[in-house]
Amino acid sequence: MSKWIEEELEPGLRAFYGLKKVLNSCQSKWQSVDVVDLECFGRTLMIDGLIQSCQIDEHVYHESLVHPAMLTHACPKSVYIGGGGEGSTAREVLRHASVEKCVMVDIDGDVVRFCKDALPENAEAFADPRLELVIDDAKAVLEKGGTYDVIIMDLDDPLEGGPCYQLYTTEFYQMIKSKLNPGGVFVTQSGQAGSKRHHLVWSPVHSTLRTVFPSVRSYNQAIYSFMDEWGWNIAFLDAAMGTLLTEEQVNQRISERIKGELKFLDGESYRGLFCLSKAHRETLAKETRVLSTEKGTYATMHSQGLCIAES
Amino acid sequence: MSKWIEEELEPGLRAFYGLKKVLNSCQSKWQSVDVVDLECFGRTLMIDGLIQSCQIDEHVYHESLVHPAMLTHACPKSVYIGGGGEGSTAREVLRHASVEKCVMVDIDGDVVRFCKDALPENAEAFADPRLELVIDDAKAVLEKGGTYDVIIMDLDDPLEGGPCYQLYTTEFYQMIKSKLNPGGVFVTQSGQAGSKRHHLVWSPVHSTLRTVFPSVRSYNQAIYSFMDEWGWNIAFLDAAMGTLLTEEQVNQRISERIKGELKFLDGESYRGLFCLSKAHRETLAKETRVLSTEKGTYATMHSQGLCIAES
Amino acid sequence: MSKWIEEELEPGLRAFYGLKKVLNSCQSKWQSVDVVDLECFGRTLMIDGLIQSCQIDEHVYHESLVHPAMLTHACPKSVYIGGGGEGSTAREVLRHASVEKCVMVDIDGDVVRFCKDALPENAEAFADPRLELVIDDAKAVLEKGGTYDVIIMDLDDPLEGGPCYQLYTTEFYQMIKSKLNPGGVFVTQSGQAGSKRHHLVWSPVHSTLRTVFPSVRSYNQAIYSFMDEWGWNIAFLDAAMGTLLTEEQVNQRISERIKGELKFLDGESYRGLFCLSKAHRETLAKETRVLSTEKGTYATMHSQGLCIAES
Amino acid sequence: MSKWIEEELEPGLRAFYGLKKVLNSCQSKWQSVDVVDLECFGRTLMIDGLIQSCQIDEHVYHESLVHPAMLTHACPKSVYIGGGGEGSTAREVLRHASVEKCVMVDIDGDVVRFCKDALPENAEAFADPRLELVIDDAKAVLEKGGTYDVIIMDLDDPLEGGPCYQLYTTEFYQMIKSKLNPGGVFVTQSGQAGSKRHHLVWSPVHSTLRTVFPSVRSYNQAIYSFMDEWGWNIAFLDAAMGTLLTEEQVNQRISERIKGELKFLDGESYRGLFCLSKAHRETLAKETRVLSTEKGTYATMHSQGLCIAES
């Protein structure tokens, strides 16, 4: 049988992935979750029919999300992860020897249970006593109390009608700022960031963060199985921390702080993450949109084209 | 009508591009050539059914191919382009005010004529009196005589049975070396260069060049419409030139030497091109394969998976 | 280039037709029209992205639509065609030597002009002095006046929101009945009629006609390029005419009345059209839905699944 | 997830079936076998990636294959089935009260075991004491001994390199003739039989049978999930039996002989099976190709286009 999974990457662009086998599926209250074996990308986690992470390169995404924030911080002891139910983000966080507590809050308990079983590479992280796993709303839990050295938002894209678009707003970022310890760092995944689509989410998230934090940096990295570059935004309580580390500093901190070998990130990779193209930097410089719950300006999704609805 | 062009990116991975219109087609002696309007990528040149360059991001590819070599050279006056029938490579070369002569040699006169008509953005380049256009074999013409400051190979991938695989070998690179003026620079496109497939062509071309030139650098850049990172290898007659320019040097040389505004490249983009991931650098470090006409070791294509046949 | 046209045949069933060439396209006030060359079906007329008729088997559809009605009539002199802008229905009608006048009323003048140019096999029909071509609403023109021996409705399926669903109702059929001369025959295309989908349009049109005419027969025939059996309903003013002709009668009338050779229809094919499967006849026997403008019960389309909305 | 199974129906024509679930899979010595749940066709048996039979209409195929032969025979007591591992052919045979013994010979024991488990509608047939199931070569077993009232070949198409092409030859049909009791009937599935592709297998099998049997009839029927008409050839030892039964005879014999209700076949459906179009009959009349093991003329498959290789 010639079996395929189809994904619409954008209107007029579809990918077909050769499907070797559906390994495991579940339907949670919130979403449908599948682990499949794809000919091109290996074992792959799909949520609501969209690729979340693939065996061949999930490490590129997760190392890029976690380590720049963790390495920039002087000594991260407490970390908050919003989302991240798959467990890979926690896995990367817990490799940092300094971490004493990692609170991971995902709204979908079924996904977490499912991934615990289906993804053996994260089993150690799920069993780590430093991990405090909470099945609840990432915003509500954070509001309730506690402060952190590093806060990481590993959320879905802000899809129209989805559960997450309110977690990409100036109001949410104000609240996050108030939960960071001095010297704290915040990082959020920020959607596609290649030459065509980086203005959909990545740049408005950047401009929104700039209304809240004294220093913000956007970065991006090609992820083969996402068929585009992906983007993140990192923000610092202390403006001075916005200065990039040197490659040597990165390499030294990795060797001092992180257990095991990273596959993707080191000093030079880190430098590459923050080298943006001329066109990307021009977009950031011109970006004035601010996402706001109050003003009703969200980055929302329209047939997989994300656009800002300004009311 | 729901019209689509299908491309097999690798076994088990197919892309479908929404086809608005076939704008122009021709069948040359060597290949079939089409200019189509794609919903996702705009006006697109396809050769033998594979995307060559797209309106939305051909500048990323061509600026990355041409300007690092041209800007590194002290003052490039004479340039040789092998392939490049589309005209975009010549266009970027001719933006450099120092250039007095640009010899472009493509074997397919029909493609060149077709692109002259179909791609208005390259009309000025084709009309530039400094351009010497030769319809012939890129190797034969170079062997016959002449030396150059910069040599650029903008060839097809070394497909099995294709016309180009002999132009990715140590013997060919020896000949090229002999045609470079002192201080000369050579650069060649080198195929896919993302995390999954950079070992197919990019790294063996690197190791092959290292057998010939005292200094070689590999670099890569995500190209959205190629749905992967793309790779190049640059080689220097003078080992000292292998040291990267600073971002400031790049910006200054661009402003002094290049007519008009670049869209993609500047100092920071240039720096990013040469920041390779840890995994990429490990591949390059371990790569020992040398492509050779004499030894019959080519990088050849097997249903779009390129592999080295070592005899 | 690997070019394809995609058609959704029903939810969960898609066909991809290899596209050799788009031969001609136009956008009328009402619909988009294309003549394409398909690898599997030859030259093909598509309207709004759906296959209308293909070189390899349009004769099966048009001979089945036209000749059973025409041959059953004692001597058809005047014929009314609603729709049929492509010209093939008129072509088959005009092969009958008895015909003195054929009025063809299609709302889309652009389609008619386009098909005149694009479909050479219908040129003779369009030039026939017996053809009276009117660009107008098929219902309005018929209401205005004139009576006919045979009335043929060659309309689009009754798509929700489309122009035709009111032309598949008891009220419309009452009007048609009043425009038939004594001994008159009415036939209408009635959509898909294979084992899975014959209840969507074919059987409710049958039951609706039975509320108006004393004798009605449904028939069907596999059309390869439609990837299903297709259906028609024929109705007679005179109940006695509902008795099928014998195969010999059909063959004799064909030889006496029709110019040239039919490719599909003869006595045995005719017999086959009216041999319905046990399951099809059970559906017809149980069908009680009546389509009515007044009652607001239409056969309408829902993502290509046609269903009856009963208000 | 948007999951699809792709089938190439002919070059330039592909179908995509929405895949709800893979229910069961096995790899036998001979072929890969899957039972899948398709959105459009329900539970479906696929062999080597090609649809074999679907819940929604397998009865149309199997009633058409079995009952015309069984009903024409005066009183079938012994029946031989070559192939038919799925069990549906045996199921239809065993509905005939006259049958005392049904020998079913399929080469692939794994397929038989798999279908026994996966297809509950055939469980009763597999448990019927009159069924003698043999896992072996259908030709070898028949040669060894025994004669039958009805012989049914429910084989794969004669694919090039496949296991079955020698079972569509004059030599094989000679042997079969010798294994029929007086008054015996033979029927074989004969591939696609729509307007485009009925000359590939259906008509050469017809002409081949005519070299062996005094009376042969070809018939066909649209099968929705096969996306074409399908064809069979039936042959009679006694020329007089080639005269079709009347519709009344068929209905009477069904009511006298068959347990339970048929869904597709009755007198009128039977009549329809044997009403061939003018074009089909012309193909049969002109067909002169004879398939022969000795002469090396097979109907063989070329990328799903079946063609006759005449040596």
Side-chain angles (χ1 to χ4, degrees):
Chain A
M1 283 195 299
S2 174
K3 300 196 297 282
W4 299 88
I5 288 177
E6 180 196 23
E7 190 174 356
E8 190 186 39
L9 300 175
E10 59 165 298
L13 181 57
R14 300 193 216 162
F16 281 78
Y17 314 118
L19 173 64
K20 291 166 86 167
K21 195 160 188 178
V22 177
L23 299 171
N24 225 325
S25 295
C26 85
Q27 177 63 46
S28 81
K29 181 183 163 192
W30 307 92
Q31 45 206 350
S32 71
V33 191
D34 301 276
V35 175
V36 295
D37 187 6
L38 299 184
E39 193 179 343
C40 49
F41 301 147
R43 203 194 51 225
T44 296
L45 175 69
M46 303 195 80
I47 294 190
D48 287 341
L50 304 176
I51 284 184
Q52 296 302 304
S53 77
C54 300
Q55 199 172 14
I56 62 160
D57 59 9
E58 61 91 359
H59 64 279
V60 180
Y61 172 85
H62 289 105
E63 294 188 14
S64 297
L65 168 66
V66 168
H67 299 309
M70 296 291 285
L71 294 171
T72 306
H73 193 280
C75 181
K77 294 183 175 171
S78 57
V79 179
Y80 185 92
I81 301 171
E86 162 188 352
S88 303
T89 299
R91 178 194 69 210
E92 294 302 320
V93 166
L94 292 163
R95 298 174 74 172
H96 287 257
S98 64
V99 171
E100 296 170 356
K101 182 175 73 166
C102 175
V103 179
M104 167 179 156
V105 182
D106 196 295
I107 204 161
D108 196 332
D110 290 327
V111 166
V112 172
R113 268 186 297 279
F114 180 84
C115 292
K116 259 186 185 174
D117 293 341
L119 305 175
E121 65 270 37
N122 296 341
E124 196 183 338
F126 278 117
D128 194 307
R130 297 172 296 165
L131 181 69
E132 192 176 311
L133 177 57
V134 183
I135 304 304
D136 204 337
D137 178 72
K139 183 169 163 236
V141 171
L142 194 56
E143 278 173 334
K144 256 186 265 174
T147 58
Y148 300 89
D149 295 330
V150 174
I151 297 178
I152 299 171
M153 287 292 144
D154 184 18
L155 306 165
D156 277 354
D157 282 332
L159 308 193
E160 186 169 351
C164 291
Y165 64 90
Q166 299 209 18
L167 308 186
Y168 293 86
T169 60
T170 189
E171 292 85 357
F172 183 61
Y173 295 148
Q174 286 287 2
M175 191 271 282
I176 280 183
K177 190 184 179 185
S178 73
K179 303 300 180 181
L180 282 172
N181 294 329
V185 183
F186 169 64
V187 68
T188 180
Q189 89 82 14
S190 304
Q192 285 181 272
S195 60
K196 183 171 181 194
R197 291 163 73 84
H198 63 269
H199 63 288
L200 296 173
V201 172
W202 185 73
S203 67
V205 167
H206 176 91
S207 56
T208 302
L209 280 168
R210 289 183 70 94
T211 64
V212 176
F213 286 91
S215 176
V216 181
R217 275 188 175 273
S218 296
Y219 61 102
N220 69 357
Q221 170 58 36
I223 312 278
Y224 182 65
S225 65
F226 291 0
M227 306 190 92
D228 199 0
E229 295 167 273
W230 215 253
W232 301 266
N233 280 284
I234 190 169
F236 308 94
L237 265 194
D238 176 354
M241 289 175 72
T243 306
L244 292 180
L245 302 175
T246 64
E247 299 189 20
E248 294 68 33
Q249 279 177 306
V250 171
N251 286 331
Q252 187 175 348
R253 291 186 183 189
I254 286 173
S255 70
E256 288 170 1
R257 297 178 175 191
I258 294 181
K259 279 186 293 187
E261 279 286 307
L262 298 186
K263 282 191 273 184
F264 166 75
L265 198 82
D266 63 2
E268 186 170 323
S269 300
Y270 166 89
R271 187 68 190 83
L273 288 177
F274 290 97
C275 284
L276 301 179
S277 88
K278 186 181 176 189
H280 281 78
R281 294 203 318 286
E282 286 174 356
T283 302
L284 293 178
K286 289 180 193 161
E287 182 61 78
T288 58
R289 293 172 294 179
V290 173
L291 307 174
S292 161
T293 312
E294 203 170 277
K295 297 189 187 160
T297 51
Y298 304 123
T300 54
M301 184 127 169
H302 174 63
S303 65
Q304 306 205 349
L306 290 147
C307 61
I308 305 295
E310 308 221 25
S311 62
Chain B
M1 283 194 298
S2 175
K3 300 196 297 284
W4 299 87
I5 288 178
E6 179 194 23
E7 191 174 358
E8 190 186 40
L9 301 175
E10 59 165 295
L13 181 57
R14 300 193 215 162
F16 281 78
Y17 314 118
L19 173 63
K20 291 167 86 168
K21 195 159 187 178
V22 177
L23 299 171
N24 226 325
S25 294
C26 85
Q27 177 64 44
S28 80
K29 182 183 163 192
W30 307 93
Q31 44 206 350
S32 71
V33 191
D34 300 276
V35 176
V36 296
D37 187 7
L38 299 184
E39 193 179 342
C40 48
F41 301 148
R43 203 194 49 226
T44 295
L45 176 69
M46 303 195 80
I47 294 191
D48 287 342
L50 304 176
I51 285 184
Q52 297 302 304
S53 78
C54 299
Q55 198 172 16
I56 63 161
D57 60 9
E58 59 91 358
H59 64 279
V60 180
Y61 172 84
H62 288 106
E63 294 188 13
S64 297
L65 169 66
V66 169
H67 299 308
M70 295 291 285
L71 293 171
T72 306
H73 193 279
C75 180
K77 294 183 176 171
S78 57
V79 179
Y80 186 92
I81 301 170
E86 162 189 352
S88 305
T89 299
R91 180 194 67 210
E92 294 301 321
V93 165
L94 292 164
R95 297 175 75 171
H96 287 258
S98 65
V99 171
E100 297 170 356
K101 183 175 72 165
C102 174
V103 179
M104 167 180 156
V105 182
D106 197 294
I107 204 161
D108 197 332
D110 290 328
V111 166
V112 173
R113 269 186 296 279
F114 181 83
C115 293
K116 259 187 185 173
D117 292 341
L119 305 175
E121 65 270 37
N122 296 341
E124 196 181 338
F126 277 117
D128 193 307
R130 297 172 294 164
L131 181 69
E132 191 176 313
L133 177 57
V134 183
I135 305 304
D136 204 337
D137 178 70
K139 184 170 164 233
V141 171
L142 194 55
E143 279 172 332
K144 256 186 265 174
T147 59
Y148 300 88
D149 295 330
V150 174
I151 297 178
I152 300 171
M153 286 293 143
D154 184 18
L155 305 164
D156 277 354
D157 281 333
L159 309 193
E160 186 169 351
C164 292
Y165 64 90
Q166 300 208 17
L167 309 187
Y168 293 86
T169 59
T170 190
E171 292 85 358
F172 183 61
Y173 296 148
Q174 286 286 3
M175 191 270 284
I176 279 183
K177 190 183 178 187
S178 73
K179 303 299 180 180
L180 282 172
N181 294 328
V185 183
F186 168 64
V187 66
T188 180
Q189 89 83 11
S190 304
Q192 286 181 270
S195 59
K196 184 173 180 192
R197 290 163 73 84
H198 64 268
H199 63 290
L200 296 173
V201 173
W202 183 74
S203 67
V205 168
H206 176 91
S207 55
T208 302
L209 280 167
R210 290 183 70 95
T211 63
V212 175
F213 287 92
S215 176
V216 181
R217 275 190 175 271
S218 296
Y219 60 102
N220 68 358
Q221 170 59 35
I223 311 278
Y224 182 63
S225 65
F226 291 0
M227 306 191 91
D228 198 359
E229 294 167 273
W230 215 252
W232 302 265
N233 281 284
I234 190 168
F236 308 94
L237 268 193
D238 176 354
M241 289 175 72
T243 307
L244 292 180
L245 301 175
T246 65
E247 299 189 19
E248 293 67 32
Q249 280 177 305
V250 170
N251 286 331
Q252 188 176 347
R253 292 187 182 189
I254 286 174
S255 70
E256 287 170 1
R257 298 179 176 190
I258 293 182
K259 278 187 293 187
E261 280 285 308
L262 297 185
K263 283 192 272 183
F264 165 75
L265 197 82
D266 64 2
E268 186 169 325
S269 300
Y270 165 90
R271 187 70 190 82
L273 289 175
F274 290 96
C275 284
L276 301 179
S277 87
K278 185 181 177 190
H280 280 78
R281 295 202 318 285
E282 287 175 355
T283 302
L284 293 178
K286 289 180 193 160
E287 181 63 76
T288 59
R289 294 172 294 181
V290 174
L291 308 174
S292 160
T293 313
E294 202 170 280
K295 297 190 186 159
T297 51
Y298 304 121
T300 54
M301 185 129 171
H302 175 63
S303 65
Q304 305 205 351
L306 290 147
C307 61
I308 305 294
E310 309 218 26
S311 62
Chain C
M1 281 193 301
S2 175
K3 300 197 297 284
W4 299 88
I5 288 177
E6 179 194 24
E7 190 174 357
E8 190 186 39
L9 300 174
E10 59 165 297
L13 181 57
R14 301 194 215 161
F16 280 79
Y17 313 119
L19 172 64
K20 291 166 85 167
K21 193 158 189 179
V22 177
L23 299 171
N24 225 326
S25 295
C26 85
Q27 177 64 46
S28 80
K29 181 183 163 193
W30 307 93
Q31 45 206 349
S32 70
V33 191
D34 301 275
V35 175
V36 296
D37 187 7
L38 299 183
E39 193 178 342
C40 49
F41 301 148
R43 204 195 49 226
T44 296
L45 176 68
M46 303 195 80
I47 295 191
D48 286 342
L50 305 175
I51 285 185
Q52 297 301 304
S53 77
C54 301
Q55 198 172 15
I56 63 160
D57 60 8
E58 61 91 357
H59 64 279
V60 181
Y61 172 84
H62 289 105
E63 294 188 13
S64 298
L65 169 65
V66 168
H67 298 308
M70 295 292 285
L71 293 172
T72 306
H73 193 281
C75 181
K77 294 183 178 172
S78 58
V79 178
Y80 185 93
I81 300 170
E86 163 188 352
S88 304
T89 300
R91 179 194 68 209
E92 294 301 321
V93 166
L94 292 164
R95 298 175 73 170
H96 287 258
S98 64
V99 171
E100 296 169 357
K101 184 176 71 166
C102 174
V103 179
M104 168 179 154
V105 182
D106 196 296
I107 204 162
D108 196 332
D110 290 328
V111 166
V112 172
R113 267 185 298 278
F114 180 84
C115 292
K116 260 187 186 173
D117 293 342
L119 305 175
E121 65 271 37
N122 296 341
E124 196 182 338
F126 278 118
D128 193 307
R130 297 172 295 165
L131 181 69
E132 192 176 310
L133 178 57
V134 183
I135 304 305
D136 203 339
D137 178 72
K139 184 171 163 232
V141 171
L142 194 56
E143 278 172 333
K144 256 187 266 174
T147 59
Y148 299 88
D149 295 330
V150 174
I151 297 177
I152 299 170
M153 286 292 144
D154 184 19
L155 306 164
D156 276 355
D157 281 334
L159 309 193
E160 187 169 350
C164 292
Y165 64 89
Q166 298 208 18
L167 307 186
Y168 293 86
T169 61
T170 190
E171 292 85 357
F172 183 61
Y173 295 148
Q174 285 287 2
M175 191 271 282
I176 279 183
K177 190 184 178 185
S178 73
K179 303 300 182 181
L180 282 173
N181 294 329
V185 183
F186 169 65
V187 68
T188 181
Q189 88 84 11
S190 303
Q192 285 181 271
S195 60
K196 184 171 180 195
R197 290 164 72 85
H198 63 269
H199 64 289
L200 296 174
V201 172
W202 184 73
S203 67
V205 167
H206 176 90
S207 56
T208 301
L209 280 168
R210 289 183 70 94
T211 64
V212 176
F213 286 91
S215 177
V216 182
R217 275 188 175 273
S218 297
Y219 61 101
N220 69 357
Q221 170 58 36
I223 311 279
Y224 182 65
S225 65
F226 291 0
M227 306 190 91
D228 198 359
E229 294 167 273
W230 215 252
W232 302 266
N233 281 284
I234 189 168
F236 308 94
L237 267 194
D238 177 353
M241 290 175 71
T243 307
L244 293 181
L245 302 176
T246 65
E247 298 189 19
E248 294 69 31
Q249 280 177 306
V250 170
N251 286 331
Q252 188 176 346
R253 291 187 183 189
I254 287 173
S255 70
E256 288 169 1
R257 298 178 176 190
I258 293 181
K259 280 186 291 187
E261 280 284 307
L262 298 184
K263 283 191 271 183
F264 166 74
L265 198 81
D266 63 2
E268 187 169 323
S269 299
Y270 166 90
R271 187 72 190 82
L273 289 177
F274 290 96
C275 284
L276 301 178
S277 88
K278 186 181 177 188
H280 281 78
R281 295 203 317 285
E282 287 175 355
T283 302
L284 293 178
K286 289 181 192 159
E287 181 62 76
T288 58
R289 293 173 294 179
V290 174
L291 308 174
S292 160
T293 313
E294 204 170 277
K295 296 189 187 159
T297 51
Y298 305 122
T300 54
M301 184 129 171
H302 174 63
S303 65
Q304 305 205 351
L306 291 146
C307 60
I308 305 294
E310 309 219 25
S311 64
Chain D
M1 282 193 301
S2 174
K3 300 197 297 282
W4 299 88
I5 289 177
E6 179 195 23
E7 190 175 356
E8 190 186 40
L9 300 176
E10 59 165 298
L13 181 58
R14 300 193 216 162
F16 280 78
Y17 314 117
L19 172 63
K20 292 167 84 167
K21 196 160 186 177
V22 177
L23 300 171
N24 227 324
S25 295
C26 84
Q27 177 64 45
S28 81
K29 182 183 163 193
W30 307 92
Q31 43 207 350
S32 71
V33 191
D34 300 276
V35 176
V36 295
D37 188 6
L38 299 184
E39 193 179 343
C40 49
F41 301 147
R43 203 195 49 226
T44 296
L45 176 68
M46 303 194 80
I47 294 190
D48 287 340
L50 304 175
I51 284 184
Q52 296 302 304
S53 78
C54 301
Q55 197 171 16
I56 63 160
D57 59 8
E58 60 91 357
H59 64 279
V60 180
Y61 173 84
H62 289 106
E63 294 189 13
S64 297
L65 169 66
V66 169
H67 300 309
M70 296 292 285
L71 294 171
T72 305
H73 193 279
C75 180
K77 294 183 177 172
S78 57
V79 179
Y80 186 92
I81 301 170
E86 163 188 351
S88 305
T89 299
R91 179 194 68 209
E92 294 301 319
V93 165
L94 293 164
R95 297 173 75 172
H96 287 258
S98 65
V99 171
E100 297 171 355
K101 183 175 72 166
C102 175
V103 179
M104 167 179 155
V105 183
D106 197 294
I107 205 161
D108 196 333
D110 290 327
V111 166
V112 172
R113 269 187 296 280
F114 180 84
C115 293
K116 259 187 185 174
D117 293 341
L119 305 175
E121 65 270 37
N122 296 341
E124 197 183 337
F126 278 118
D128 193 307
R130 296 173 296 165
L131 181 69
E132 193 176 312
L133 178 56
V134 183
I135 305 304
D136 203 336
D137 178 71
K139 184 172 163 231
V141 171
L142 194 55
E143 279 172 333
K144 257 185 264 172
T147 60
Y148 300 87
D149 295 331
V150 174
I151 298 178
I152 299 170
M153 286 292 144
D154 184 19
L155 307 165
D156 277 354
D157 283 331
L159 309 193
E160 188 168 350
C164 291
Y165 64 90
Q166 299 209 17
L167 308 187
Y168 292 86
T169 59
T170 190
E171 292 85 357
F172 183 61
Y173 295 148
Q174 286 286 3
M175 190 271 282
I176 279 183
K177 190 184 178 186
S178 73
K179 303 299 180 180
L180 282 172
N181 295 328
V185 184
F186 169 64
V187 67
T188 181
Q189 88 84 12
S190 303
Q192 285 181 273
S195 59
K196 184 172 181 193
R197 291 164 72 84
H198 63 268
H199 63 289
L200 297 173
V201 172
W202 184 73
S203 67
V205 167
H206 176 91
S207 55
T208 302
L209 280 167
R210 289 183 70 95
T211 64
V212 176
F213 286 91
S215 176
V216 181
R217 276 187 174 274
S218 296
Y219 60 102
N220 69 358
Q221 170 59 35
I223 312 278
Y224 182 65
S225 64
F226 291 0
M227 305 191 92
D228 198 0
E229 295 167 271
W230 216 252
W232 302 266
N233 281 284
I234 189 168
F236 308 95
L237 266 195
D238 175 354
M241 289 176 72
T243 307
L244 292 180
L245 302 175
T246 65
E247 298 190 19
E248 294 68 32
Q249 280 177 305
V250 170
N251 287 329
Q252 188 177 347
R253 290 186 183 189
I254 286 174
S255 70
E256 288 170 2
R257 298 178 176 191
I258 294 181
K259 279 187 291 186
E261 280 285 307
L262 298 185
K263 283 191 272 184
F264 166 75
L265 198 81
D266 63 2
E268 187 170 324
S269 300
Y270 166 89
R271 187 71 190 82
L273 288 176
F274 290 96
C275 284
L276 302 179
S277 88
K278 186 181 176 189
H280 282 77
R281 295 202 318 285
E282 286 175 356
T283 302
L284 293 178
K286 289 180 193 162
E287 181 62 79
T288 58
R289 294 173 292 180
V290 173
L291 308 174
S292 161
T293 313
E294 203 170 277
K295 297 189 188 160
T297 51
Y298 304 122
T300 54
M301 185 128 171
H302 175 62
S303 65
Q304 305 206 349
L306 290 147
C307 61
I308 305 295
E310 308 220 26
S311 63

